[in-house]
Amino acid sequence: MASTLFRTIQIHPFFLYPTALFSRRNGVLYCTMKSSQTQTATQEKQQPPKVKVPQHALKKTVDKITRDYEAIIGIETHVQLSTLTKAFCSCPYNYGSQPNTNICPICMGLPGALPVLNSKVIEFAVKLGLALNCKLSLNSKFDRKQYFYPDLPKGYQISQFDIPIATGGYVDLDLPLEFGGGHRKFGITRVHMEEDAGKLLHSGNGDYSQVDLNRAGVPLLEIVSEPDMRTGIEAAEYAAELQRVVRYLGISNGNMQEGSLRCDVNVSIRPVGQSEFGTKVEIKNLNSFSSINRAIDFEISRQALLHSQGQSDQIVQETRLWEEGAQKTVTMRKKEGLSDYRYFPEPDLPEVILTQEYVDSISNSLPELPEAKRRRYEKMGLSMQDVLFLANDMNVAEYFDETLSSGADIKLAANWIMGDIAAYMKNEKLSINDIKLTPQELAELIASIKSGTISGKIGKEILSELLAKGGTVKGLIEEKDLIQIADPVEIGKMIDKVISENPKQLEQYRSGKTKLQGFFAGQVMKLSKGKANPGLLNKILLEKLNGQS
Amino acid sequence: MGSRALLMLTNFNFKTTVSSFGSASNPFFLIKNNLRTRNFSTKTRSSLQPPDLPGLAETARISLAPNEVEEFAPKIGQVIDWFGQLQAVDLDNVEPAIRADTEGDNLREDAPQTFENKEALIASVPSYEEPYIKVPKVLNKE
């Protein structure tokens, strides 16, 4: 259900948006979705039917009202780690397994069972902490967070409370250029380790719910941001950057539809110029970057409207759900004071101790992260649009880098990857790792065109063959006899032939219908099977048509 | 460092200084001259007042009859008093410990191992309907 909606939004963002209200931001949304679509291209199967959403009755005046208020947005993100086993037991975890098959006494919370921490969880937490520029706690611990809910078999969640493994970091990102662009730095309050709960399904009829404990005990990292974001697009781009970071690090698949990356957003607004914060509202059920963006912008306008109507007392601290179908947030539960989770140190687990050598070794093994990649590409002279596209997907960036190291021209390589190759991947629903064209051959292709061995047109033809079947540029050129004809004598002969075969057109040309030059050029190109050097062809053709030789 | 703190606790004679614990407003394990400022999890209780027993029972999802509340209240009070005594321990110059036990890491390789006796696990579930565990309908937490 969620994934269906997600796909729908990606494909038809313009239809879903309350257009009267945020016409400027529509484009932003589209761009965000475009980039995430590239990442998830392989998962998309077919286009679902368009979802029709009733137009909001909100007036244009709302846009005006929202200008008088500033929104404060903070995000809590849960990242499910791609470890082979759960956090505290050796149960395997695979998304989509038969319910209640990956369970054991530990993750079921049976009496007497003792947790033992998976070493990968610490490794991944340290990786993320470093990637988010955090200070690491060399000594930290686990705590029990008590609450009663059927998806939590122990009656408590093992989490980290007062001493998280990483604190005080930040993340850098670039907003898409076509919507104002700009660089942003958002603070990271903390990153801590914890376990996931099971899945609870509420049956449509009947007075019971169903529990699947496969996910219970799966390791998560919770990332808490500073309340640094101001708009829906900033929040969506923050989430997109976290997704890039965890994918670059290889610690999570970051897949929002499967719930491997879950964002809960806190939104409050205050009149511009006021220093104290307004009442904050939490929004859940955000399954895509576009829903983060739209839910926040909806919530900002909802709160601003209440403020402007003197009903700010109706903004209460609560959790609201984003309803994708209706494109609005609705009350899920009101918060009556802070819940008492009665945290205390987890007695079944020892202190988590990191040595500086361990941290250093992980630090040295980190890959080049998205921000560093973007800055490097920027320095190469690529436009921000190119930079954002290439650095968005680590595999695309790697492909680009390899093409360059095979000697390809920077801008040309970027153009081929972003143009024909990206289009092919999209059509065939392939990722860059699936295509048969190697970066080395792409570099060869670019060089062959640049040196004039083949024409650009033939280059494109060769490309589609290389993408689908592989092989080498040299092999194809030889096999198909595609080498560009750059011999003026040979081209001249072909031109003579075409001119002599079309005396009527020649006469028309010479009596002033010079547009016919295109006709002659086309005929010559056809005769050469597309191999004639276009520049040379036109030069000689013009001379001959004008009777200079 | 944790074991050092523990050692001090075990050697301590509670009876001698019961009257002198001064900082009742601090949680018992917060150490004066704390070098690092840490926000300990249990700091939420700012004094050692006996808890509201019906409220405590509710958070633990335990039903207590009025006569049971009467019976347990003084017992809980005694436990709280006992914790209060710990505050008298002189912990100046003792580095704060995160955990009492510093045996060190006890970590596991990330190697999957399937639990074999799954039938017994499922059999112990009070209400099971293949393939789900059945529970009373719940829609909201708390």
Side-chain angles (χ1 to χ4, degrees), chain A residues 121-177:
Chain A
V121 175
I122 294 185
E123 183 190 322
F124 287 2
V126 170
K127 278 186 173 171
L128 186 62
L130 290 170
L132 297 177
N133 310 292
C134 289
K135 182 182 177 297
L136 292 172
S137 309
L138 294 182
N139 298 70
S140 69
K141 67 178 169 84
F142 285 100
D143 300 281
R144 287 187 180 180
K145 177 183 182 178
Q146 333 277 328
Y147 65 86
F148 291 92
Y149 206 57
D151 60 7
L152 191 75
K154 292 193 291 292
Y156 58 85
Q157 178 191 29
I158 302 179
S159 181
Q160 292 194 293
F161 180 50
D162 51 343
I163 311 175
I165 192 156
T167 52
Y170 59 86
V171 65
D172 285 291
L173 55 88
D174 295 280
L175 296 179
L177 199 74

Side-chain angles (χ1 to χ4, degrees), chain A residues 309-320:
Chain A
Q309 292 170 344
Q311 294 177 303
S312 53
D313 57 329
Q314 287 195 25
I315 304 169
V316 293
Q317 199 180 340
E318 61 175 337
T319 300
R320 296 177 72 87

Side-chain angles (χ1 to χ4, degrees), chain A residues 488-507:
Chain A
V489 178
E490 204 175 327
I491 292 175
K493 276 182 193 163
M494 286 190 273
I495 293 172
D496 289 341
K497 187 164 184 278
V498 168
I499 289 178
S500 68
E501 281 171 2
N502 297 284
K504 220 169 130 191
Q505 282 83 353
L506 180 67
E507 205 187 301

Side-chain angles (χ1 to χ4, degrees), chain A residues 331-395:
Chain A
T331 297
M332 177 183 160
R333 60 168 183 260
K334 310 255 181 201
K335 283 202 173 157
E336 285 142 17
L338 275 174
S339 6
D340 185 2
Y341 292 121
R342 294 170 298 135
Y343 280 100
F344 69 84
E346 166 60 62
D348 290 341
L349 287 164
E351 188 172 338
V352 177
I353 301 167
L354 308 175
T355 62
Q356 194 56 50
E357 297 86 71
Y358 177 76
V359 173
D360 291 344
S361 74
I362 289 185
S363 180
N364 293 332
S365 75
L366 289 183
E368 184 183 33
L369 292 163
E371 172 65 8
K373 225 175 250 302
R374 286 192 297 264
R375 299 285 78 86
R376 181 162 65 83
Y377 288 168
E378 200 178 24
K379 274 191 197 138
M380 285 177 176
L382 288 173
S383 73
M384 186 47 74
Q385 198 188 350
D386 295 358
V387 167
L388 292 179
F389 182 95
L390 294 167
N392 184 47
D393 182 324
M394 183 177 61
N395 295 321

Side-chain angles (χ1 to χ4, degrees), chain A residues 291-321:
Chain A
S291 50
I292 291 174
N293 180 15
R294 281 173 292 121
I296 288 172
D297 284 345
F298 174 89
E299 188 57 26
I300 292 171
S301 61
R302 186 187 72 88
Q303 293 183 21
L305 206 60
L306 286 171
H307 253 290
S308 69
Q309 292 170 344
Q311 294 177 303
S312 53
D313 57 329
Q314 287 195 25
I315 304 169
V316 293
Q317 199 180 340
E318 61 175 337
T319 300
R320 296 177 72 87
L321 276 187

Side-chain angles (χ1 to χ4, degrees), chain A residues 232-478:
Chain A
I233 189 66
E234 285 186 355
E237 289 298 329
Y238 163 84
E241 182 67 8
L242 287 188
Q243 184 187 57
R244 278 187 283 273
V245 169
V246 300
R247 285 179 171 172
Y248 269 60
L249 292 172
I251 64 172
S252 169
N253 66 26
N255 190 325
M256 291 185 93
Q257 297 102 303
E258 287 178 11
S260 306
L261 186 87
R262 307 194 282 266
C263 294
D264 297 337
V265 170
N266 287 301
V267 183
S268 69
I269 66 164
R270 62 184 175 193
V272 171
Q274 183 183 304
S275 59
E276 56 268 27
F277 293 133
T279 306
K280 107 185 149 180
V281 170
E282 187 183 22
I283 313 171
K284 284 182 183 284
N285 198 31
L286 302 168
N287 297 319
S288 68
F289 299 133
S290 83
S291 50
I292 291 174
N293 180 15
R294 281 173 292 121
I296 288 172
D297 284 345
F298 174 89
E299 188 57 26
I300 292 171
S301 61
R302 186 187 72 88
Q303 293 183 21
L305 206 60
L306 286 171
H307 253 290
S308 69
Q309 292 170 344
Q311 294 177 303
S312 53
D313 57 329
Q314 287 195 25
I315 304 169
V316 293
Q317 199 180 340
E318 61 175 337
T319 300
R320 296 177 72 87
L321 276 187
W322 172 244
E323 283 194 350
E324 197 70 74
Q327 294 287 294
K328 59 176 189 173
T329 62
V330 293
T331 297
M332 177 183 160
R333 60 168 183 260
K334 310 255 181 201
K335 283 202 173 157
E336 285 142 17
L338 275 174
S339 6
D340 185 2
Y341 292 121
R342 294 170 298 135
Y343 280 100
F344 69 84
E346 166 60 62
D348 290 341
L349 287 164
E351 188 172 338
V352 177
I353 301 167
L354 308 175
T355 62
Q356 194 56 50
E357 297 86 71
Y358 177 76
V359 173
D360 291 344
S361 74
I362 289 185
S363 180
N364 293 332
S365 75
L366 289 183
E368 184 183 33
L369 292 163
E371 172 65 8
K373 225 175 250 302
R374 286 192 297 264
R375 299 285 78 86
R376 181 162 65 83
Y377 288 168
E378 200 178 24
K379 274 191 197 138
M380 285 177 176
L382 288 173
S383 73
M384 186 47 74
Q385 198 188 350
D386 295 358
V387 167
L388 292 179
F389 182 95
L390 294 167
N392 184 47
D393 182 324
M394 183 177 61
N395 295 321
V396 172
E398 204 170 293
Y399 192 95
F400 175 64
D401 286 339
E402 275 185 48
T403 309
L404 296 193
S405 62
S406 299
D409 175 86
I410 294 168
K411 185 60 190 166
L412 290 176
N415 287 350
W416 281 100
I417 292 171
M418 293 171 61
D420 293 61
I421 296 176
Y424 174 81
M425 280 160 37
K426 202 180 166 193
N427 283 338
E428 304 291 318
K429 311 219 182 325
L430 294 173
S431 81
I432 200 146
N433 296 340
D434 301 325
I435 62 173
K436 301 260 169 56
L437 172 72
T438 63
Q440 292 73 28
E441 287 307 315
L442 176 59
E444 181 69 34
L445 182 70
I446 293 167
S448 301
I449 297 169
K450 216 180 171 187
S451 68
T453 309
I454 53 170
S455 67
K457 189 167 170 278
I458 284 183
K460 281 191 184 246
E461 283 168 28
I462 292 183
L463 181 82
S464 28
E465 188 145 348
L466 289 170
L467 283 169
K469 295 181 193 155
T472 65
V473 176
K474 278 190 177 132
L476 271 179
I477 291 173
E478 265 175 45

